[in-house]
């Protein structure tokens, strides 16, 4: 295992310290907890947003804590949902009196731990603490079905952070912010693939092995295998496959979309742009208009080489919120 | 009967066995999950082991509740809330007691499973820890009811759990991370079912050793 | 070779198209040239800044084209200095009448090609075109000496883009902007290391091989080997080595610095923050105050796993310019 | 004497040989540089080959100048400006001429080297193409001066260049990318010296073949 770390057991703690030292104007850490909140948290009178999940997805989620996006982020062990006590601390720390919305990616562990945190909040009977949550399940690789866990949440989550974050910043109520978040969730779809596995520091070896000509398609962001393995194709072919799967899922025709070409951590940025070129061609051909594009490492899987593509169908409200200013360590726009 | 002191010993022994099987559980989870099950449980049970050091003289409810709270706050992932809930529900049955009777044991086992089902919304056949737990509970209960005694019941439960683990190899996952693999998960044994078997085996071995 | 590309020969062209499609508000491409300039270039009356070099260092340099940083970026083939004709086109396209400053990284090829572009500009006798250049040589891995090529330019270059870019945006003259750039160059030092090699698409195989326990220390950003090979150490040890080398080079005592922990493309962001933690500890110990920190992929080597550390000694002027607003695809700050 | 038609043939043959050795040159550059020398030169000379197709009837100066400009605008890196400058300087000697005399050849060779030195500021012993070029030129010049003829001169020049390549293995680089490696560059032959040898070898083989 080749990693720039000191101790696999302490890597999350050391990372969080490194983040706080790098961005003291943006974030502070709750003492004794693996929780980052805005430097000026709680923001009085504003609906607060928290997110979280396992670590290893950086800059998600700590990198998106700041004005116009999240109020807090809870960091679990690498690829492991954070525990309810940590989440509960985050909720308390960001609560500015207008309620707290948890943005949860649809993994059994994440859902249950956030659920238990909410139960803790209820049990403590905190006055002045209204809570709500949304569950993101943008990954079209997995068929949706009522008798399974359903779809995963992957890179599309960042659009929820951005847009619901802007809604909260605008002064919307908890119910309204939640509605906005749900609208984004209903309209966002993603799918990913990878050329290499990644190694959880504490595991010490890769999660799977791939032949020199193989890739994993339809995989999540936790180093797990995908829905299937295939021979490596060209960037254009891969992009076409991913975009086709997304377009088959909901009707994007005649609509405007936001695009995210997301790197999984070990992908040269050059390659993400090559993919973006093809995404543009495909969408242009289908008459789908691109309103805004993000290209970069937003939701990673440690050092995995691969990419995911996300499309978000926009309406006027979503466009306005997507365009709103944001100022966080990993995403800033005027 | 299991008293509070032996209860602590059993849980601490579980911690030892989980550590021994950390890599096995992690490897099983790498195949169809995200490769952290062994790491997660070891982190949790190591903390439990330490926490229980000063608690030998507490009642069984407190011991189990402390175990539960520690697991909940240390394990994370899917298994943290599930095992945490299981231990918490079991503890509620013996709150204030320093002895666990056979009857208690059946109730505790039942409550634990109900907790897991309520929390995780999975069923038998979904390729989860329940595929080890439910058959184990069924045989445990009938064995106790047949007055064959705790040791025999525990032994049969562990055996049933082991069969449950084997069964998980034959099915596709419908719950948890492995479900994203669809049919690709067939052929692999479920890590959570495996850890459940290991835990039940510790209990049965402990009781067997004592007699 | 596992890459998300279509054709090694066309990867730069396809990437540039992907960049323009992603960021049409920021950049446009000069038709027929691998040159990106601001969407509103030339900016009348402002000193224009261009930079460039081989491709494969993304987001450098195209990602830094925009308000407060560069006016244009010239993209060579992967790891290959761009040709004079391309550079000359960039110069002409960004010239807003107040002069053009070229920011060149100190590589023989880059220096010569920019030099020839300047000669072309002279030969064409363009009125209204004042040009100047600076050469960045921040890499302390290589001893400086008059009879060699001297030091390389690496990640520290991004600080020149930022600070000289702010100076130009403020309305400073070409001479003044150049002076600012030279002040940054005089005060910026970097050093890098890597855990893995990278593969130039057209070469098809890695530039070097490393054993499971080996790392290259003191390497540049072109996939080349470093000054020496060593056994892998902990992040803390590696960081200490790199920072010590930098601190040995110029006197940073009692000064304020900007820090950049730069990923080489394949490094999990998590690891960059672990490094940043240690950088903070070392500098705190030495009484060197950190004014601002950048952590991320700024100057990459394709998919190389590794990092460089940059320290820039600041004075009041540099602080003000570093803090000035910037709005580019890869670096935005209010 | 070399006329303009043969000049085009020689340059086109250089392009063929560079393509054949693209991988070799790239591998040499991977060892001590950035692994693009073969790719760079092949990109450049392929373009040159195509450009020259319509230029057989131009004068030698135009042919060489076109070669130079194409290399300058296609190769990039260090070798682009250097080889570009070399061909440009050589071309200036025979501007407007359709024949290259022995005397011209010496002047061209000299001018090419001067151009490279001026542009790259390197010296003999810095582990660059100059370590092949300079000894090649020296023997070329004396051989011509001794009236041994162009073919012999070219053959000896190629041989000297080859020795120069060998010599580069023994020294540490002081110029170009390889200089960053310090003593680690010792033991490796310089890619640019190698491509220079290949080019000179094409010339000598071409002339030898004709007689
Ligand atoms: N809904 C569920 N109900 C019961 N058990 C579950 C459920 N989801 C997952 N599990 C169990 O959890 C195990 C995985 O635990 P672990 O790897 O620690 O968590 P995660 O999947 O979050 O990484 C699975 O092997 C399975 O036995
Ligand atoms: N200053 C110089 N003078 C002469 N030749 C040089 C100089 N610098 C580099 N070279 C030659 O250029 C070769 C490298 O060319 P190439 O790989 O195409 O460019 P780059 O080094 O920019 O990648 C070296 O092997 C060396 O022979
Ligand atoms: Mg997990
Ligand atoms: Mg797991
Ligand atoms: Mg090069
Ligand atoms: Mg080279």
């Amino acid at each position: 295992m080749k990693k720039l770390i000191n101790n696999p057991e302490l890597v999350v703690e050391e990372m969080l310290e490194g983040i706080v030292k790098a961005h003291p104007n943006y974030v502070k850490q709750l003492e004794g907890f693996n929780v980052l909140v805005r430097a000026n948290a709680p923001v009085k009178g504003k609906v607060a947003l928290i997110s979280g999940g396992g670590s290893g997805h950086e800059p998600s989620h700590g990198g998106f804590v700041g004005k116009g996006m999240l109020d807090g982020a809870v960091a679990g062990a690498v690829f492991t949902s954070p525990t309810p006590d940590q989440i509960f601390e985050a909720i308390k720390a960001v609560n500015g009196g207008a309620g707290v919305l948890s943005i949860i990616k649809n993994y059994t562990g994440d859902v249950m731990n956030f659920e238990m945190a909410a139960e803790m909040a209820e049990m403590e009977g905190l006055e002045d603490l209204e809570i709500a949550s949304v569950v993101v399940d943008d990954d079209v690789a997995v068929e949706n079905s009522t008798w399974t866990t359903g779809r995963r949440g992957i890179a599309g989550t960042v659009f929820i952070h951005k847009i619901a974050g802007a809604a909260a910043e605008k002064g919307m109520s908890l119910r309204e912010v939640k509605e906005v978040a749900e609208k984004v969730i209903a309209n966002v779809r993603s799918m990913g693939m990878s050329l290499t596995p990644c190694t959880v520091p504490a595991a010490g070896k890769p999660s799977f092995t791939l032949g020199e000509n193989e890739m994993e398609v339809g995989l999540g962001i936790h180093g797990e295998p995908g829905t299937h393995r295939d021979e490596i194709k060209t960037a254009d072919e891969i992009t076409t496959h991913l975009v086709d799967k997304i377009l088959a899922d909901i009707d994007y025709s005649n609509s405007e979309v936001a695009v995210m070409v997301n790197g999984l951590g070990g992908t040269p940025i050059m390659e993400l742009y090559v993919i973006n070129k093809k995404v543009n061609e495909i969408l242009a051909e289908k008459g789908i208009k691109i309103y805004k594009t993000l290209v970069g490492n937003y939701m990673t899987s440690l050092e995995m080489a691969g990419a995911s593509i996300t499309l978000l169908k926009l309406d006027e409200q979503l466009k306005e919120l997507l365009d709103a200013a944001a100022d966080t360590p990993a995403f800033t726009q005027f | 009967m299991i008293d509070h002191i032996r209860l602590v010993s059993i849980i601490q022994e579980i911690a030892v066995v989980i550590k021994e099987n950390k890599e096995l559980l992690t490897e099983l989870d790498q195949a169809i999950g995200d490769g952290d099950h062994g790491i997660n449980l070891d982190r949790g049970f190591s903390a439990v082991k330490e926490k229980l050091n000063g608690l030998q003289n507490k009642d069984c409810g407190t011991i189990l509740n402390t175990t539960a709270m520690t697991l909940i706050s240390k394990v994370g992932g899917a298994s943290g809330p599930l095992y945490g809930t299981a231990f918490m529900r079991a503890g509620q049955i013996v709150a204030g007691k320093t002895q666990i009777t056979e009857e208690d044991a059946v109730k505790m086992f039942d409550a634990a499973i109900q907790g897991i089902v309520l929390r995780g919304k999975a069923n038998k056949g979904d390729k989860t820890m329940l595929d080890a737990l439910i058959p184990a509970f069924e045989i445990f209960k009938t064995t106790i009811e047949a007055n064959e005694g705790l040791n025999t019941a525990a032994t049969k439960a562990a055996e049933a759990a082991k069969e449950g683990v084997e069964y998980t190899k034959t099915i596709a996952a419908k719950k948890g991370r492995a479900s994203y693999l669809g049919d690709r998960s067939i052929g692999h044994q479920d890590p959570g079912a495996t850890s459940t078997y290991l835990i039940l085996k510790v209990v049965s071995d402990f009781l067997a050793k004592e007699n």
Side-chain angles (χ1 to χ4, degrees), chain A residues 3 7 14 24 33 36 40 45 70 80 158 169 215 230 242 308 320-321 325 334:
Chain A
K3 288 192 180 289
N7 178 345
E14 295 193 355
F33 293 92
L36 298 178
N40 64 339
L70 301 177
T80 300
V158 177
E169 214 71 54
M215 60 177 182
D230 206 343
L242 299 182
S308 66
E320 188 197 318
L321 294 169
F334 283 91

Side-chain angles (χ1 to χ4, degrees), chain A residues 77-81 110 222, chain B residues 29 33-37 40 76-78 177:
Chain A
V78 177
F79 294 165
T80 300
S81 328
D110 288 47
H222 298 85
Chain B
D29 197 30
D34 56 352
D36 59 0
H37 189 55
N40 291 347
R177 252 169 232 288

Side-chain angles (χ1 to χ4, degrees), chain A residues 15 27 68-70 92 96-97 121 144-145 166 185 212 220 233 258-259 262 264 309:
Chain A
M15 167 186 75
V27 294
M69 292 185 81
L70 301 177
K92 285 189 291 187
N144 220 345
S145 127
I185 293 169
E212 187 47 43
K233 305 241 161 62
V259 173
N262 173 58
L264 294 181
I309 296 171

Side-chain angles (χ1 to χ4, degrees), chain A residues 12-31:
Chain A
V12 173
E13 283 71 15
E14 295 193 355
M15 167 186 75
L16 291 173
E17 200 177 324
I19 294 178
V20 173
K21 293 279 193 220
H23 314 295
N25 301 333
Y26 289 103
V27 294
K28 63 185 179 199
Q29 184 171 0
L30 297 187
E31 222 194 290

Side-chain angles (χ1 to χ4, degrees), chain A residues 9 77-85 106-110 112-113 115-116 119 142 147-152 200 202-203 205-207 216 222 224-229, chain B residues 22-23 26-27 30-36 39-40 43 69 71-82 85 119-121 126 173-177 179-181 184:
Chain A
E9 314 284 319
V78 177
F79 294 165
T80 300
S81 328
T83 57
D85 51 324
N106 190 32
Y107 297 98
T108 310
D110 288 47
M112 291 192 298
N113 283 290
E115 221 170 70
M116 290 178 86
E119 289 165 18
V142 189
W147 45 269
T148 65
T149 309
R151 288 170 158 161
R152 287 177 286 227
V200 173
K205 55 181 185 228
S207 43
E216 282 282 335
H222 298 85
E224 68 275 56
T227 52
H228 67 283
R229 189 164 286 197
Chain B
K22 177 179 173 182
E23 243 183 88
T26 297
E27 276 170 22
Q30 283 192 323
I32 56 169
D34 56 352
D36 59 0
I39 303 166
N40 291 347
R43 184 175 51 242
M69 290 311 298
L71 291 178
I72 288 169
S73 71
K74 290 290 173 195
V75 176
S79 54
L82 293 170
T85 302
R119 180 63 67 202
K121 294 172 193 69
D126 285 353
K174 290 185 195 135
K175 286 278 148 59
R177 252 169 232 288
S179 69
Y180 307 125
L181 281 182
R184 261 183 113 177

Side-chain angles (χ1 to χ4, degrees), chain B residues 8-208:
Chain B
V8 167
S9 300
I10 290 176
I11 299 174
Q12 292 193 318
E13 180 62 19
I14 290 173
V16 171
V17 169
I18 290 293
K19 190 177 286 303
E20 284 167 8
N21 288 278
K22 177 179 173 182
E23 243 183 88
L24 167 74
L25 295 172
T26 297
E27 276 170 22
L28 292 172
D29 197 30
Q30 283 192 323
I32 56 169
D34 56 352
D36 59 0
H37 189 55
I39 303 166
N40 291 347
L41 287 189
D42 179 46
R43 184 175 51 242
F45 276 104
S46 295
V48 166
K49 191 158 175 254
E50 200 157 306
K51 263 274 167 53
L52 292 188
N53 271 338
L55 295 188
Q56 274 90 347
N57 294 323
K58 298 280 178 185
D59 68 280
C60 295
T62 304
I63 291 164
L64 288 165
N65 196 52
T66 305
T67 302
M69 290 311 298
T70 307
L71 291 178
I72 288 169
S73 71
K74 290 290 173 195
V75 176
S79 54
L82 293 170
Y83 278 124
T85 302
F87 278 91
M88 187 176 290
R89 293 297 177 103
Q92 282 161 4
I93 305 292
V94 288
K97 294 195 181 178
T98 53
Q99 304 273 357
I100 299 173
T101 65
E102 292 185 357
E103 206 182 324
D104 289 336
V106 173
K107 281 194 202 154
M108 286 164 71
F109 208 150
D110 195 14
I113 290 178
Q114 281 180 36
I116 289 173
V117 169
L118 209 72
R119 180 63 67 202
K121 294 172 193 69
N123 302 304
K124 226 173 120 171
D126 285 353
K127 194 170 183 136
T128 71
M129 52 177 70
L130 289 173
D131 291 316
L133 266 179
I134 291 174
F137 169 65
E138 280 163 1
I139 192 81
F140 184 82
K141 189 172 177 223
T142 39
T143 310
I144 294 284
E145 280 167 3
N147 281 323
E148 295 180 36
L150 199 56
N151 297 4
T152 312
T155 307
K156 288 189 176 173
E159 279 162 12
K162 180 148 202 198
E163 278 166 39
V165 171
E166 291 304 313
Y167 168 62
T168 62
K169 289 189 192 169
T170 68
I171 54 178
K174 290 185 195 135
K175 286 278 148 59
R177 252 169 232 288
S179 69
Y180 307 125
L181 281 182
D183 285 348
R184 261 183 113 177
S185 67
I186 297 175
H188 298 276
Q189 81 193 55
D190 180 61
T194 309
S195 59
T196 288
Y197 159 67
L198 291 172
I199 291 170
L200 293 175
K201 185 84 168 75
V202 168
V203 178
S204 95
D205 284 355
F206 186 91
L207 295 175

